[in-house]
C-alpha cells in the first residue's frame, strides 16, 4: 500500500466516523427539540452552541472526506502535516463548540470556546496546503504534443 493510499484510507476512516457521530448528535438535538426538553430549549446560548457544533462537525467531516479523495493525490513529496492538521482541526472545532455550552456563564460560552480559532487555523492550514499543492501540480505539467 502506498503512502497516498494510506492517507486516503485515514481520511475515509476519520471522515466517515466523524460524519456518523455528528449526524447522530444532530438527531439527538432534534429529539431534544421534539420532546421539549427544557434544559435544551430554555438556554438559547447552549442551544446555539450545540447547533454550531453539529453544523461544523458535519461540514468538516465532509471536508476531510473531500481532502482524502481530491487532496491526497496532490501531495507527491509529503503534505507537511496538512492531513494531520485537518483531522485535529476537524475534531477540535465542533467539540469546542459543544463543550463550551456546558456550565457557561451568563451570556457567554465558557473558556473552551477559545479552542475554536485554534482548530480553525489548523483546518485553514490544511486547505491552504492543498490549494498550494494544486497550483504547483498544475504548473509542473508539460504541454502535450499534438
Amino acid at each position: 500500500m502506498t503512502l497516498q493510499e494510506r492517507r486516503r484510507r485515514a481520511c475515509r476512516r476519520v471522515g466517515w466516523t466523524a460524519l456518523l457521530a455528528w449526524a447522530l448528535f444532530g438527531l439527538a438535538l432534534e429529539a431534544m427539540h421534539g420532546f421539549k426538553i427544557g434544559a435544551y430549549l430554555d438556554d438559547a446560548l447552549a442551544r446555539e452552541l450545540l447547533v454550531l457544533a453539529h453544523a461544523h462537525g458535519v461540514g468538516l467531516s465532509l471536508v476531510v472526506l473531500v481532502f482524502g479523495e481530491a487532496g491526497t493525490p496532490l501531495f507527491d513529496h509529503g503534505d507537511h502535516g496538512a492531513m494531520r492538521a485537518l483531522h485535529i482541526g476537524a475534531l477540535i472545532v465542533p467539540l469546542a463548540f459543544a463543550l463550551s455550552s456546558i456550565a457557561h456563564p451568563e451570556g457567554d460560552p465558557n473558556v473552551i470556546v477559545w479552542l475554536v480559532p485554534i482548530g480553525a487555523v489548523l483546518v485553514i492550514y490544511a486547505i491552504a496546503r492543498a490549494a498550494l499543492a494544486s497550483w504547483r501540480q498544475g504548473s509542473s505539467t508539460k504541454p502535450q504534443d499534438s
Side-chain angles (χ1 to χ4, degrees), residues 20-105:
L20 173 65
W22 291 112
L24 289 173
F25 186 78
L27 182 64
L29 293 180
E30 292 295 328
M32 286 193 292
H33 206 277
F35 289 112
K36 309 281 188 224
I37 305 295
Y40 175 67
L41 293 178
D42 295 342
D43 190 345
L45 179 61
R47 192 173 61 242
E48 183 177 347
L49 290 167
L50 293 173
V51 169
L52 283 170
H54 164 65
H56 282 83
V58 168
L60 289 173
S61 300
L62 295 174
V63 170
V64 169
L65 288 170
V66 169
F67 186 89
E69 298 304 319
T72 54
L74 298 173
F75 300 104
D76 295 333
H77 305 292
D79 63 357
H80 302 281
M83 183 187 75
R84 185 166 300 189
L86 179 60
H87 290 178
I88 294 170
L91 179 69
I92 287 176
V93 171
L95 277 179
F97 275 126
L99 294 175
S100 67
S101 69
I102 299 170
H104 63 85

Side-chain angles (χ1 to χ4, degrees), residues 3-12 68-69 72-73:
L3 177 62
Q4 184 178 342
E5 290 168 345
R6 287 196 305 265
R7 286 181 181 152
R8 187 175 287 163
R9 178 189 284 181
C11 285
R12 286 179 185 154
E69 298 304 319
T72 54

